[in-house]
Amino acid sequence: MDRFVAIRLTVNGEPVEARVDARLHLVDFLREQLDLTGSHVGCEHGVCGACTIRVNGEIVRGCLMLAAQCDGAEVWTIEGLTETGEIAALQEAFVARNALQCGFCTPGMLVAAAELLRREPRPSRERIRDWLGGNYCRCTGYHAIVDAVEQAAAALHGAPAE
Amino acid sequence: MKPAPFAYLRARSLAEAFDALDRHGEEARLLAGGQSLIPALNLRLATPAVLVDINGLAGLAGIALQGGVVRIGALTRHAALEASEIVARHLPLLAEAVPQIAHPAIRSRGTLGGSIALADPAAELPACALALDATIVAMGRAGERRIAARDFFRGLYQTDLQPGELVAAVEFPVQPPERRGCVLELARRQGDYAIVGLAAAATVQGDGALRDPRLVFFGVGPTPVRAAAAEAALAGAGGVAAAQAALERDLDPPADLHGPPQFRRHLARVLLGRAAARLLG
Amino acid sequence: MTGSPLSEIDRPNSYIGRSVPRPNARRLVAGRGAYVDDLRLPRMAHVAFLRSPHAHARILAIHAEEARRAPGVIRVVTGRELAAHCTPWVGVLHHLKGLKSAPQHAMAVDRACWQGEPVCAVVARSRAEAEDAAALIRVDWEELPAVTDMETALDPATPVIHPDLGDNLAFRREHVGGDPDAAFADPEAVVVEATFHTGRHTGVCLEGRSILADWNPAEERLTVYQSTQAPHMMQTVFARHLGLREGQVRVVCKDVGGSYGIKVHVYPDEVATAALSKMLGRPVKFVADRIEGMVSDIHARDHRLRARAAVRRDGTLLAMEVDDLTGIGPYSVYPRTSAVEGNQVVNLCGGPYVLKGYRAKTTVVFQNKTPTCQYRAVGHPIATAVTEGLVDLAAEAIGMDPAEIRRRNLIPDDAYPCTSLSGMRFEALSHHKCLARLLEMMDYERLRAEQAELRKHGIHRGIGLACFIELTNPSPFMYGIGGARISAMDGATVRLDPDGSLAVASGVTEQGQGTEAILAQIAATAVGVPVERVRVVTGDTEVTPYGGGTWASRGAGIGGEAMLQAGLALKEGILAVAGAMLQARPETLDIRGGVVVDRASGAERLPLEELGRVVYFRGDTLPRDLPRELVATRHWTPKEYPFCFTNGAQASYLEVDVETGFVRLLGHWCVEDCGTVINPMLVEEQIRGGVVQGIGGALFEHCVYSPEGQLLSGSLADYLVPMSGEMPDIHVGHVETPTRESALGAKGAGEAGTAGAPAAVQNAINDALRPFGARVLAQPFTPARILAALGRI
């Protein structure tokens, strides 16, 4: 038992070994030790969603997991999801619809939205609003974000069934 | 803010977890889903010396139908409850509660046992445990101990868990088809803790009466509150109106940023009316 | 439109008015932003501040020995120690007559005046270690009585926060226009009156305030990477208070994670960070975390307004009177001051209407709470809530439809130019066009019918309208004449590179609203190149033209016009060279799609990359005396009007659950006249974002204080920001009345959404509650307040 913990994990498909301060939360680990600055710190108490990332196939708040807990984990951040092209349709739609302004919420928003589209190919506007209800955006009125997720869903899964 | 320093133990066995709890006593905290504990650490509201991570104890997770009981391991995540066929079929009240907990990225980590052990008075799952007459399975070095939910929640963040014990599982009696339930809550924003919530269950008679009602309010006191007087009134001749009036005796809600005590009392009456309509509907 | 002032932007290949995606958006969706906290410098240290836990307390002693010995600590600096390296400031402007404030230090020296004021700085290897050490500092405090209730701030029995100032009054202004007394005495007048409250709230930029200051002793230069809206203003501030010349300071502003006015002010902890870097001779980073941000970012909109209006039974509005009281914390914020918000309330109330009399007064008082200052749409949402609330009360009193009373009283669209009774000069507004468009978009009559039908079934919906004016593009009359070194002018540089692409730079900054996109569109249009061939640089005092930055919706109107003029100047230079190369008169040539063409036929004559090749590499082939400047810089500042004004109208449709007091937003509409629309897609989401900020204040957001001056809603669990689940779809329409002051004609669109939304929501809720004789006028309109108004709790 120690204040410092050895972890081995994969981040964006690359193996990582690190020794981390036990108190270091996952998003600080990614940002400070791995220079993956695409995940953002917005509140550090689990409300804003700016640090939303994917761990072991599920979306989590990066500020509500400790790096020490990630031994053996598979972590994907905006950087990796961009490189694999997995969320390209969403990114394309966010740009086309101007679903971002300052961009600080955007990586977390994209990771959360990608999970929705993985589960539900054609969510309604209301469903998109509810799903993203834990991701704070101060710049847009959310409307364009909902538009963009709808557009990405259509691009990925075809026109809605009438 | 960053957490104050602490040591971290990834428990590989229950024995290792119990050892750590014995050794460090009040200085140690168990880390399950962490969705309430880690914010408290980040805000330095909690400053344990040692964090004992029990997430690796695979035996503590899982949902099983065992005779008349659904046994749900403490480390079962909210997302797993949400996805469970067993929960949907046999514990529809619980199935209705889970999607109302926070947001997807929280439900992927938060655990049933963590929620029960923390006993946040505004949380859904402790209220569900009460409404469904669940049994909390506590485990210590000496073995398992079963505690009825009604005896488990003692006060604000206070439970019947003894030093050195953890929640291992929660056992919910399978709900018969004629037993209906619902979970209603009023929150300013979807996913927020409820200002007032109600987990309600009752057996619906052919004549439209509600037998053996359970009315468990959350967000209205130091623990989830079973509204005994309202339950009695609801089962009696006075019906819903009498039950709403009886809430005056059952509830003593606090004032907070949302409003004064009478605000919560009023909302509790409204929810009771809506829950009764749902159960009868 | 050939020959009109718009001819240069209304070209066949114009990008003006087109929804071009933002060039920087691709970077941001890929997680490749460069926010201050993403930057790392060699030997960089981190600072954490110990902040006052008390609203008002004297510092008797600071015991920091243990902290100094803590792991990772580089330096612990008290307010007194820092004061030797950093001079205090006073947030006053000369033209706001009588405004007073006390000297404010970067960290409290003898006394802390609000909960959250920085008291002691710990610089350490990591933020976590700095916080560990800060927790070890003990301060001996002597608690002093806290002034928290603005209603009693001026009572003789209330302690004076700054005894040297004599009282707790920061500023007072009364303005009378026309003859309000005669109007209220009109024999036909029906008088309505009410008291309104706007809740104190704050900006909650998702990216906390951030600064990385790097003093290089060898060069004697300070480089500051800062999340700010106004780099040149900050250059002045750092120089002045750290004893440097402005030329020794460079402020670099990369990506900014939201600002909305929050990041246009001088913050004590940020100035302290720069001073600490200078003291230590190494880079020091400070990023405000959410909890300290809630007590140290400026707050705003803490107002109580008593108001009344006189209306005739035929629907003619006669007069309005507003008595505004606002509490601003213990200091007027530097350098823009905390009197501007109240001053704007006086300027803006009643603004859309023809009135015979107007009287408005603002009283600005000190309190021991977080300082307040300008936040998005300064004063507008307050003035609009009061004005539009009064108009609805008047309509109700005489039994007139809210749309009809507005139609009867809005300034006619052909009445311009004109001056309001508050003294605001309007060049050209379009209230009637906007209102008509709004009512058409929302299908007002159908919604009214639906509302009436649903009422029969116990469903209570409301429709709320709000017309508003919006102040943009300030001239030096806003700050400069008061003595602040805040530029009202902005510059733009456009350079043609050898490959035929444009490198452009501007003094206005990108905060995410799309400034760089519209600047690229304007430059591309002015010169005649594809927009993809324009690269934009903003946010660096060293390489951009001098300017004021981004605030008061001045980016498009002022920065955009400078860019247009610079682009046109460059084009003239290019065509002079092209004329020589092609042996044609320049006026017979044009540039389209990056190619010099024959103006009349459009025939392609010379690609810009060929022109660039010749000018840069084979200048020997050009006539000896031919000017060959392929860079142009132009500056622009408004001169005709002190401010530009825009206008618009909003509507909210919502449902009140009268059993629970909960409000469900069903739809929101905004029609806005921001003059020339450069990029409709950007304007629309800018409007929507503003609407949601306005809705936030109307329904959710509130800085609630205890009587002792403790912020009770100090986390995002208690301070409720609007999230997507509760927000409606927001439909935006445009009316375009370009300003004739500039060739571009853009007026700005950043404040409109926030200006009108709270009023629209307020009026819609009260419309829903009308059958119950209930009314709410205190924001936020919480379920508890609505139930109380309904008499149910």
Side-chain angles (χ1 to χ4, degrees):
Chain A
M1 191 174 330
D2 198 354
R3 271 205 46 204
F4 293 88
V5 181
I7 54 172
R8 301 170 72 154
L9 65 161
T10 69
V11 179
N12 296 329
E14 296 174 17
V16 171
E17 286 185 49
R19 192 171 135 78
V20 296
D21 191 338
R23 61 170 149 173
L24 189 68
H25 54 60
L26 179 53
V27 67
D28 267 358
F29 169 68
L30 294 168
R31 292 177 50 80
E32 304 295 332
Q33 283 187 235
L34 304 186
D35 283 338
L36 292 166
T37 52
S39 304
H40 296 143
V41 174
C43 74
E44 293 182 289
H45 50 282
V47 182
C48 78
C51 61
T52 305
I53 51 180
R54 189 189 290 171
V55 176
N56 296 332
E58 292 190 287
I59 55 169
V60 304
R61 302 278 207 237
C63 72
L64 298 189
M65 265 190 93
L66 302 174
Q69 292 184 277
C70 293
D71 190 47
E74 181 187 340
V75 176
W76 286 90
T77 69
I78 187 69
E79 290 91 345
L81 295 172
T82 300
E83 280 170 17
T84 63
E86 184 190 328
I87 60 169
L90 268 170
Q91 289 169 314
E92 190 65 34
F94 267 57
V95 172
R97 293 286 189 152
N98 191 37
L100 66 150
Q101 289 185 26
C102 79
F104 204 80
C105 73
T106 309
M109 198 71 82
L110 286 166
V111 173
E115 179 65 11
L116 173 63
L117 296 188
R118 198 178 63 79
R119 294 176 182 217
E120 301 174 28
R122 296 311 305 257
S124 66
R125 288 182 79 79
E126 194 182 4
R127 176 68 176 145
I128 295 166
R129 284 186 180 279
D130 279 354
W131 181 271
L132 297 176
N135 288 74
Y136 172 52
C137 169
R138 188 55 140 178
C139 295
T140 75
Y142 296 109
H143 185 118
I145 294 173
V146 179
D147 287 348
V149 176
E150 273 190 317
Q151 177 177 320
L156 290 168
H157 304 290
E162 290 298 333
Chain B
M1 282 174 83
K2 309 300 177 191
F6 50 78
Y8 172 88
L9 172 72
R10 192 181 301 130
R12 283 161 300 183
S13 66
L14 275 169
E16 208 176 39
F18 292 136
D19 284 349
L21 291 179
D22 284 351
R23 195 170 328 122
H24 299 284
E26 303 252 296
E27 295 280 272
R29 288 289 295 269
L30 289 176
L31 174 62
Q35 302 302 286
S36 297
L37 177 56
I38 296 181
L41 296 173
N42 288 352
L43 298 173
R44 297 194 181 216
L45 297 172
T47 53
V50 179
L51 217 54
V52 182
D53 184 351
I54 57 171
N55 281 278
L57 305 182
L60 289 184
I63 302 168
L65 182 61
Q66 300 175 341
V69 165
V70 180
R71 181 182 164 111
I72 306 181
L75 284 180
T76 305
R77 316 239 178 233
H78 303 330
L81 295 176
E82 212 174 343
S84 164
E85 289 281 328
I86 295 174
V87 170
R89 184 170 317 143
H90 300 291
L91 303 171
L93 182 144
L94 190 60
E96 184 172 323
V98 173
Q100 301 184 57
I101 302 170
H103 303 282
I106 304 269
R107 295 200 290 274
S108 62
R109 293 294 303 167
T111 64
L112 171 66
S115 177
I116 295 292
L118 179 67
D120 189 308
E124 290 84 355
L125 296 179
C128 291
L130 264 181
L132 294 172
D133 290 328
T135 299
I136 317 300
V137 182
M139 195 181 285
R141 198 183 288 287
E144 283 191 0
R145 187 166 70 92
R146 286 179 152 63
I147 308 146
R150 65 177 171 276
D151 299 323
F152 185 78
F153 302 104
R154 298 273 184 173
L156 187 62
Y157 299 110
Q158 300 284 312
T159 69
D160 194 52
L161 278 184
Q162 300 303 306
E165 279 187 330
L166 51 75
V167 174
V170 182
E171 293 176 348
F172 294 91
V174 166
Q175 300 294 297
E178 67 274 17
R179 188 82 182 156
R180 292 190 188 163
C182 65
V183 178
L184 304 180
E185 57 181 71
L186 289 164
R188 298 276 291 282
R189 301 173 307 179
Q190 170 250 337
D192 284 357
Y193 276 112
I195 301 173
V196 180
L198 168 60
T203 302
V204 182
Q205 305 286 78
D207 58 2
L210 294 170
R211 194 166 52 81
D212 194 17
R214 284 284 182 286
L215 299 173
V216 182
F217 287 90
F218 48 105
V220 294
T223 64
V225 179
R226 189 164 158 196
E231 286 178 3
L234 192 62
V240 175
Q244 286 172 315
L247 281 180
E248 202 65 24
R249 279 174 280 153
D250 289 321
L251 304 181
D252 183 17
D256 71 358
L257 293 178
H258 291 299
Q262 63 267 30
F263 170 57
R264 279 195 161 79
R265 263 203 205 96
H266 172 84
L267 293 184
R269 285 193 294 270
V270 172
L271 284 189
L272 173 46
R274 291 179 180 181
R278 268 279 304 277
L279 295 177
L280 290 167
Chain C
M1 303 237 330
T2 308
S4 82
L6 290 181
S7 61
E8 291 298 345
I9 60 170
D10 195 27
R11 297 150 46 86
N13 54 355
S14 173
Y15 289 98
I16 307 302
R18 283 171 55 184
S19 290
V20 179
R22 290 162 49 201
N24 47 13
R26 291 199 177 280
R27 190 165 56 74
L28 299 176
V29 299
R32 297 292 292 267
Y35 306 91
V36 171
D37 196 23
D38 300 338
L39 310 177
R40 290 107 175 76
L41 294 178
R43 294 185 74 232
M44 184 173 83
H46 298 261
V47 60
F49 291 93
L50 178 72
R51 295 175 184 275
S52 171
H54 303 296
H56 198 192
R58 198 178 310 286
I59 301 166
L60 300 178
I62 296 178
H63 306 284
E65 304 75 22
E66 208 184 337
R68 291 193 165 98
R69 291 192 303 268
V73 169
I74 295 163
R75 185 79 73 87
V76 178
V77 178
T78 64
R80 186 172 300 284
E81 289 162 353
L82 192 84
H85 301 266
C86 179
T87 58
W89 50 80
V90 181
V92 295
L93 289 165
H94 309 312
H95 67 302
L96 297 174
K97 298 272 183 290
L99 171 60
K100 60 185 195 257
S101 188
Q104 182 181 8
H105 286 272
M107 294 200 290
V109 174
D110 299 315
R111 188 172 62 120
C113 288
W114 83 89
Q115 178 221 352
E117 183 171 4
V119 170
C120 200
V122 180
V123 183
R125 286 177 310 201
S126 72
R127 170 75 186 218
E129 286 172 322
E131 288 181 20
D132 293 345
L136 299 173
I137 297 171
R138 276 190 308 110
V139 180
D140 296 338
W141 294 103
E142 178 195 345
E143 275 197 72
L144 300 170
V147 179
T148 55
D149 182 0
M150 63 185 180
E151 297 282 356
T152 57
L154 300 180
D155 289 358
T158 301
V160 174
I161 295 174
H162 304 294
D164 289 352
L165 299 181
D167 57 25
N168 289 325
L169 180 69
F171 180 66
R172 179 174 273 154
R173 180 185 158 210
E174 180 164 4
H175 175 89
V176 179
D179 192 344
D181 295 329
F184 277 99
D186 185 297
E188 290 178 57
V190 177
V191 175
V192 293
E193 56 183 298
T195 298
F196 297 79
H197 289 88
T198 54
R200 177 183 266 254
H201 51 277
T202 183
V204 197
C205 307
L206 188 50
E207 178 209 32
R209 292 183 295 101
S210 313
I211 179 170
L212 168 54
D214 181 15
W215 171 253
N216 182 330
E219 293 182 323
E220 296 199 307
R221 291 211 55 182
L222 177 70
T223 303
V224 178
Y225 303 88
Q226 193 181 14
S227 183
T228 178
Q229 300 170 235
H232 284 104
M233 182 194 94
M234 290 310 304
Q235 177 188 37
T236 296
V237 168
F238 290 125
R240 178 173 289 183
H241 297 284
L242 301 182
L244 302 169
R245 290 179 296 16
E246 287 185 12
Q248 288 177 279
V249 180
R250 174 181 185 180
V251 177
V252 181
C253 167
K254 298 195 170 202
D255 290 314
V256 173
S259 51
Y260 332 106
I262 298 301
K263 294 174 179 169
V264 78
H265 308 295
V266 172
Y267 286 94
D269 44 23
E270 296 179 30
V271 177
T273 302
L276 289 165
S277 173
K278 191 157 172 274
M279 290 167 71
L280 294 168
R282 64 191 288 180
V284 179
K285 182 189 274 187
F286 168 65
V287 177
D289 70 34
R290 185 58 53 197
I291 301 303
E292 66 186 342
M294 292 301 296
V295 292
S296 61
D297 291 2
I298 59 112
H299 293 180
R301 316 219 215 285
D302 195 0
H303 290 246
R304 182 275 289 145
L305 308 103
R306 296 199 184 97
R308 59 180 192 144
V311 62
R312 287 201 188 118
R313 295 227 164 259
D314 67 359
T316 308
L317 282 172
L318 298 171
M320 286 189 187
E321 272 188 6
V322 177
D323 182 0
D324 172 45
L325 174 67
T326 177
I328 58 163
Y331 299 101
S332 169
V333 171
Y334 182 66
R336 288 161 194 261
T337 85
S338 305
V340 169
E341 191 178 70
N343 197 50
Q344 293 290 56
V345 170
V346 172
N347 287 340
L348 297 172
C349 280
Y353 297 101
V354 177
L355 298 174
K356 296 185 190 317
Y358 178 69
R359 176 181 286 117
K361 183 171 86 171
T362 186
T363 303
V364 180
V365 300
F366 294 115
Q367 323 153 286
N368 293 112
K369 295 182 183 176
T370 296
T372 73
C373 201
Q374 282 81 294
Y375 165 47
R376 190 175 198 169
V378 186
H380 293 67
I382 303 160
T384 308
V386 171
T387 303
E388 295 301 279
L390 286 175
V391 169
D392 267 25
L393 289 176
E396 182 181 353
I398 60 171
M400 185 173 280
D401 181 87
E404 181 58 24
I405 195 171
R406 286 175 172 81
R407 273 193 288 262
R408 290 186 184 212
N409 292 284
L410 287 166
I411 302 171
D413 287 356
D414 60 3
Y416 302 96
C418 67
T419 300
S420 76
L421 289 186
S422 69
M424 297 296 106
R425 290 171 56 209
F426 303 137
E427 179 201 8
L429 302 178
S430 57
H431 287 298
H432 290 269
K433 266 195 217 111
C434 286
L435 180 62
R437 181 81 210 285
L438 180 83
L439 297 174
E440 175 198 320
M441 274 173 65
M442 65 191 289
D443 200 347
Y444 182 74
E445 298 304 329
R446 185 188 65 76
L447 288 186
R448 280 283 176 219
E450 181 177 287
Q451 175 190 38
E453 180 59 29
L454 289 171
R455 255 182 200 158
K456 295 178 198 158
H457 304 285
I459 293 170
H460 296 278
R461 293 189 172 178
I463 300 166
L465 302 177
C467 298
F468 60 91
I469 53 174
E470 173 191 3
L471 180 157
T472 62
N473 298 355
S475 75
F477 280 83
M478 188 111 182
Y479 295 115
I481 59 162
R485 286 170 70 90
I486 299 171
S487 177
M489 185 167 80
D490 244 283
T493 295
V494 184
R495 182 182 81 217
L496 180 73
D497 280 350
D499 67 346
S501 68
L502 299 182
V504 309
S506 170
V508 296
T509 54
E510 173 70 271
Q511 317 284 311
Q513 70 283 63
T515 302
E516 293 186 353
I518 62 148
L519 292 175
Q521 287 176 261
I522 293 166
T525 301
V527 178
V529 303
V531 72
E532 303 76 28
R533 297 179 77 176
V534 183
R535 306 183 304 285
V536 184
V537 173
T538 62
D540 186 340
T541 56
E542 203 67 11
V543 301
T544 69
Y546 199 91
T550 296
W551 43 276
S553 295
R554 64 191 294 284
I558 297 176
E561 180 66 12
M563 186 61 72
L564 177 66
Q565 296 304 332
L568 293 174
L570 174 66
K571 181 181 177 182
E572 201 179 314
I574 293 170
L575 291 181
V577 174
M581 289 173 67
L582 299 169
Q583 311 224 324
R585 283 183 294 116
E587 56 272 26
T588 66
L589 301 172
D590 196 4
I591 308 173
R592 293 176 196 163
V595 179
V596 178
V597 300
D598 181 79
R599 182 178 279 272
S601 69
E604 296 195 353
R605 300 291 305 274
L606 180 67
L608 288 181
E609 48 266 52
E610 176 58 13
L611 182 141
R613 185 189 69 81
V614 170
V615 170
Y616 285 104
F617 310 121
R618 291 303 310 275
D620 57 304
T621 65
L622 295 172
R624 181 184 292 263
D625 55 352
L626 178 74
R628 51 194 82 177
E629 278 304 330
L630 297 186
V631 185
T633 296
R634 291 291 181 274
H635 289 79
W636 197 77
T637 190
K639 300 180 195 79
E640 301 292 322
Y641 287 85
F643 316 103
C644 189
F645 273 95
T646 83
N647 67 283
Q650 292 193 31
S652 169
Y653 188 48
L654 53 75
E655 188 172 308
V656 178
D657 180 338
V658 295
E659 289 189 323
T660 63
F662 276 61
V663 171
R664 189 158 66 97
L665 302 170
L666 303 171
H668 201 102
W669 296 263
C670 177
V671 175
E672 214 274 338
D673 184 347
C674 62
T676 303
V677 175
I678 299 165
N679 186 323
M681 182 171 73
L682 300 189
V683 171
E684 282 164 23
E685 205 58 22
Q686 174 85 339
I687 298 281
R688 292 190 185 114
V691 165
V692 166
Q693 279 185 5
I695 290 173
L699 293 181
F700 296 109
E701 300 179 43
H702 201 187
C703 297
V704 182
Y705 276 85
S706 74
E708 298 76 32
Q710 296 288 316
L711 180 64
L712 302 176
S713 51
S715 79
L716 290 192
D718 293 317
Y719 185 90
L720 307 182
V721 292
M723 303 298 271
S724 60
E726 287 63 50
M727 292 302 111
D729 277 353
I730 299 164
H731 310 280
V732 181
H734 304 285
V735 167
E736 291 188 70
T737 310
T739 172
R740 293 187 166 270
E741 206 180 336
S742 69
L744 184 61
K747 293 175 169 176
E751 330 294 332
T754 309
V761 170
Q762 164 192 279
N763 287 352
I765 292 172
N766 289 327
D767 189 46
L769 298 182
R770 194 155 289 123
F772 301 90
R775 178 184 296 153
V776 285
L777 297 172
Q779 298 178 39
F781 307 115
T782 61
R785 283 174 168 172
I786 289 171
L787 286 177
L790 285 164
R792 298 190 181 208
I793 61 169

